[in-house]
Amino acid sequence: MKYRSEDILKGENSVFYRSLFKSMGYTDYELNGRPLIGIANSWNTLIPGHVNLNNVAEFVKKGIYSAGGTAVEFGVPAACDGIAQGHEGMNYILPSREIICDSVECMARAHKLDGLVLLASCDKIVPAMLMAAARLDIPAVMVHGGPMLGGTEFDGRKSDLTSIEEARGMYVQGKISKDQFVSLENTACPGCGSCSFLGTANTMSCVTEALGLSLPGEALVPAVYAERLRYAFLSGRAVCALVEGNTGARKILVKEAVKNAIKIVMAISGSTNAVLHLCAVANEAGLDMNVIEEFESLNKTTPQIARVNPAAPWDMEAFHRAGGIPRVMGMLGDLLDLGVPTCTGRTLGENIASYTFSYPENPEIIKTRKDPFSATGGIAVLHGNLAPNTAISKPGAIDPALRRFSGKARVFNSEEEAEEAILGGNIRGGDVVVIRYEGPKGGPGMREMFKAMKYIYGMGLHKSVALITDGRFSGTNNGCFAGHISPEAAEGGPLAIVEDGDGIDIDVIEGTLNLNVSDEEIKRRFSGWVKVTKTIPRGYLELYSAVASSADKGAVIDRRLLLARKENA
């Protein structure tokens, strides 16, 4: 077959390009008749989930060379959600997804790569890589760095990064000592890897496996396991086979595969951010489907059969040992479309049937379809006069007693204002904390309300207080919450005219989110509404704020807006 890279590597007309490769030490053997496989490596020493990716990359290279390919590696930017939490850094996290996707596209097309191995572990980097694979439509395999191990015991489970914020609230309340609080700094995160709970990072690793773009069982292998390196080697071999079979990513990223991924998110009660990211992936793949509607529909028919932190004490290592995504998919059985192709060259059903489990079942973590944790899925789509274009919640991580909640609004125009009120003891049982102007445009960047929810937990309010926002949440948040409210406040959504004391009803069972104010009063308030504007630093956030789509469209850069601006210029 003809490789894409032959345009720059084959024949006398390519001597110019080959000379540049040879200046780096590449040989005629490597540049003659072998596919050129890019390794998009988001390694850096800022993210615990990525600090091991250089080692992982070496095993990917071994796999590529063993299968007859030539490996070329390039760096990709990646920012840490954890380090960016609670300050201006979080404004950049979701928008960085678009930069990462664009970076991979630029490198792959500029250098005529025949295939890609995509290395990432964390929240926006994994979906960005999936978006790039879908956009480029060249053979691609995803390899993750793996989750970290759990930390020391705290509050009835192995600790993790989120335990520190929960402990802060407990310390303020005098429930734990200063020594207990301080000790978590050294023990909650015992080593490298993506955070050890089912946040967005690990959810999207599971989604990748469900989509068929990573090898079976790969998603949840801990970062420190040697098995992680073996998967890297095999993934290098797999991408070469995809190149030889001319299997572009869109042959795998079909509509049925996205539906399978949604069902997996439902079955494991994954992060609400998966809704944003699967909308974005489907958009890049050119799929004619409404992902939000699929989430809403599949919630009703997909049981929740796995329960891990934040819905239960179990961490990612325990989930992996219980069988991980292969076990979950096996339990779901014919609820999935088993005939879809995958990066192994086999169908999803063939992958499941041939998978060998290394550890025994654990029914406390993964149940059967006949005996699920819940008959419906772990993610809910909400509608109502506060969310005309939908909002998203996570009943799988909400105490059953809180899945229907009525309370009085306490309104804040930023995350910081709300956090100050919570830690200051100014939020009480029965309140609905409303955090607005944190959407894709208004934030800008749709920040996570991670700390606010953790402070509510630490202050002992998690069973009596709810939180709603046009921002989003970390996959580890629990308690009663609804996010992704669309339209956002900055675009004139009803959230913008909520006032302190207004009654708000949240029902994640029926899927409703309503403000107990008449239509006439809502209209009256809008007649005098003045949008809250924020100072946006000059640079990328200016662009993103101007052209980001709403949350129900995936918060992607809306190219229609870019074209409209060009036409009106």
Side-chain angles (χ1 to χ4, degrees), residues 185-217:
E185 180 179 335
N186 297 321
T187 59
C189 300
C192 70
S194 52
C195 296
S196 61
F197 46 78
L198 190 60
T200 308
N202 292 314
T203 295
M204 292 309 297
S205 296
C206 295
V207 162
T208 305
E209 190 174 320
L211 288 169
L213 276 183
S214 65
L215 298 181

Side-chain angles (χ1 to χ4, degrees), residues 101-129:
C101 176
D102 293 347
S103 298
V104 175
E105 175 201 356
C106 289
M107 293 299 286
R109 287 194 169 139
H111 301 97
K112 304 292 286 187
L113 301 181
D114 297 302
L116 283 170
V117 178
L118 307 160
L119 303 190
S121 292
C122 294
D123 293 46
K124 306 308 160 290
I125 304 94
V126 172
M129 297 283 199

Side-chain angles (χ1 to χ4, degrees), residues 494-507:
L495 199 67
I497 53 82
V498 178
E499 297 179 357
D500 280 344
D502 285 345
I504 293 175
D505 296 329
I506 306 165
D507 189 333

Side-chain angles (χ1 to χ4, degrees), residues 61-121:
K61 292 173 190 174
K62 292 179 182 179
I64 290 170
Y65 274 97
S66 76
T70 294
V72 290
E73 185 178 3
F74 59 92
V76 176
C80 180
D81 283 49
I83 294 173
Q85 282 289 348
H87 57 83
E88 66 174 352
M90 184 49 68
N91 293 101
Y92 288 87
I93 294 300
L94 181 59
S96 75
R97 184 187 65 179
E98 314 303 308
I99 293 175
I100 297 162
C101 176
D102 293 347
S103 298
V104 175
E105 175 201 356
C106 289
M107 293 299 286
R109 287 194 169 139
H111 301 97
K112 304 292 286 187
L113 301 181
D114 297 302
L116 283 170
V117 178
L118 307 160
L119 303 190
S121 292

